[in-house]
């Protein structure tokens, strides 16, 4: 085995752990599912550690780097949040489904580190990419909370999901701020409208929409859940497909 084989091995191990999570959660073995979730999170952490050692930087973008970072954030949040639930079985199940969907959609994508560029030595560049990936993990966790709220019986999930979306928006705002500093320092440009800012604006509008739904809409479970899921779907589409 060579260092170049490590990303593919991490990907396969994480996929195996997620499948084990799915099976154990489906058969209501939520304590065992939590063990597999912890193992999956540790595997993703090891992937992040490999990137730090091999590339001398945190994960930035690309199928492998984005996956291990996002799945690690989702895993940590899931482990912390599940302890607060009286019936965590459904949460484990839907969280595992979301993680498996991310892994499956990247099946066949090159599992390797991205090329390094001179600009990666700048802290604002590192923060821009890292905070964006962290925000994606938070929004994905919020989407799972909204799915559970719509299909479950724990009313607190709506409130917790809303708080998660707000936390994700704050992290993403910090990412955009460091990105604007990067643009100013490297290109000498002032703030100007671009495709990137358009996508960021759409994401913030989706979060604000979910947090300010009219009372009549809040009574519609499907619409309320959709509002909480859309920010997660949109940022994951941004990272992996656009």
């Amino acid at each position: 085995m060579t260092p170049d084989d490590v990303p593919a091995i991490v990907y396969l191990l994480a996929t195996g752990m997620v499948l084990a999570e799915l099976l154990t959660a489906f058969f209501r073995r939520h304590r065992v599912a939590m063990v597999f979730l912890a193992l999956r999170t540790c595997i993703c952490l090891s992937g992040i550690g490999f990137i730090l050692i091999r590339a001398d930087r945190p994960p930035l973008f690309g199928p492998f780097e984005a996956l291990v970072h996002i799945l690690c954030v989702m895993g940590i949040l899931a482990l912390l949040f599940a302890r607060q639930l009286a019936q965590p079985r459904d949460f484990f199940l839907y969280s595992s489904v979301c993680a498996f969907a991310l892994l499956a959609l990247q099946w066949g994508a090159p599992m390797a580190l991205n090329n390094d560029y001179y600009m990666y030595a700048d802290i604002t560049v590192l923060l821009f990419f890292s905070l964006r990936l962290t925000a994606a993990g938070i929004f994905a966790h919020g989407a799972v909370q909204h799915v559970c709220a719509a299909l479950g019986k724990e009313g607190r999930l709506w409130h917790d999901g809303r708080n998660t979306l707000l936390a994700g928006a704050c992290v993403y705002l910090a990412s955009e701020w460091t990105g604007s500093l990067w643009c100013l320092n490297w290109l000498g440009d002032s703030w100007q409208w671009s495709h990137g800012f358009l996508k960021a604006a759409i994401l913030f509008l989706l979060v604000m929409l979910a947090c300010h739904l009219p009372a009549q809409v809040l009574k519609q479970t499907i619409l309320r859940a959709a509002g909480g899921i859309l920010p997660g779907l949109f940022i994951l589409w941004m990272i992996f497909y656009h």
Side-chain angles (χ1 to χ4, degrees):
M1 183 183 73
T2 66
D4 292 337
D5 298 325
V6 172
I9 293 173
V10 170
Y11 173 81
L12 291 175
L13 289 175
T15 303
M17 291 300 104
V18 170
L19 287 173
E21 289 175 45
L22 273 171
L23 289 174
T24 51
F26 181 79
F27 289 108
R28 300 183 181 277
R29 305 290 184 181
H30 65 268
R31 292 186 182 276
V32 182
M34 180 177 284
V35 172
F36 284 119
L37 172 59
L39 289 173
R40 182 246 292 182
T41 305
C42 289
I43 289 170
C44 291
L45 274 173
S46 69
I48 293 174
F50 171 76
I51 297 169
L52 288 169
I53 295 172
R54 183 72 173 174
D56 196 27
R57 57 168 175 77
L60 298 181
F61 67 94
F64 173 69
E65 297 185 24
L67 270 177
V68 294
H69 191 121
I70 292 172
L71 290 177
C72 184
V73 172
M74 290 178 62
I76 292 172
L77 293 177
L79 288 169
L80 295 174
F81 180 71
R83 297 179 182 275
Q84 307 173 28
L85 299 177
Q87 300 293 332
R89 179 261 181 182
D90 289 342
F91 174 76
F92 281 128
L93 181 61
Y94 301 134
S95 180
S96 300
V97 169
C98 179
F100 179 74
L102 285 176
L103 289 161
L105 288 172
Q106 297 306 310
W107 181 266
M111 290 297 141
L113 302 187
N114 300 301
N115 295 326
D116 286 332
Y117 300 97
Y118 68 94
M119 64 184 181
Y120 290 168
D122 190 275
I123 185 63
T124 58
V125 178
L126 300 178
L127 287 173
F128 171 72
F129 286 108
S130 294
L131 290 174
R132 187 173 69 157
L133 293 179
T134 301
I138 296 173
F139 281 128
H141 176 70
V144 173
Q145 288 176 311
H146 279 82
V147 171
C148 292
L151 301 178
K153 298 180 180 179
E154 297 202 37
R156 62 165 294 172
L157 284 167
W158 292 116
H159 181 265
D160 292 336
R162 179 178 179 273
N163 289 342
T164 299
L165 294 184
L166 291 174
C170 291
V171 174
Y172 192 79
L173 179 61
S175 169
E176 290 296 299
W177 177 66
T178 56
S180 66
L181 293 178
W182 168 27
C183 180
L184 179 62
N185 292 334
W186 281 95
L187 302 178
D189 293 336
S190 59
W191 187 93
Q192 58 182 334
W193 193 256
S194 65
H195 293 296
F197 281 118
L198 173 62
K199 289 182 288 186
I202 292 173
L203 180 60
F204 281 114
L205 287 175
L206 289 174
V207 175
M208 292 303 104
L209 176 65
C211 295
H212 296 86
L213 291 173
Q216 292 298 322
V217 176
L218 291 176
K219 296 178 181 179
Q220 304 294 323
T221 301
I222 295 178
L223 294 178
R224 190 176 183 182
I229 294 170
L230 284 175
L233 290 177
F234 186 77
I235 193 171
L236 291 173
W237 170 78
M238 283 173 53
I239 289 173
F240 291 108
Y241 296 104
H242 199 274

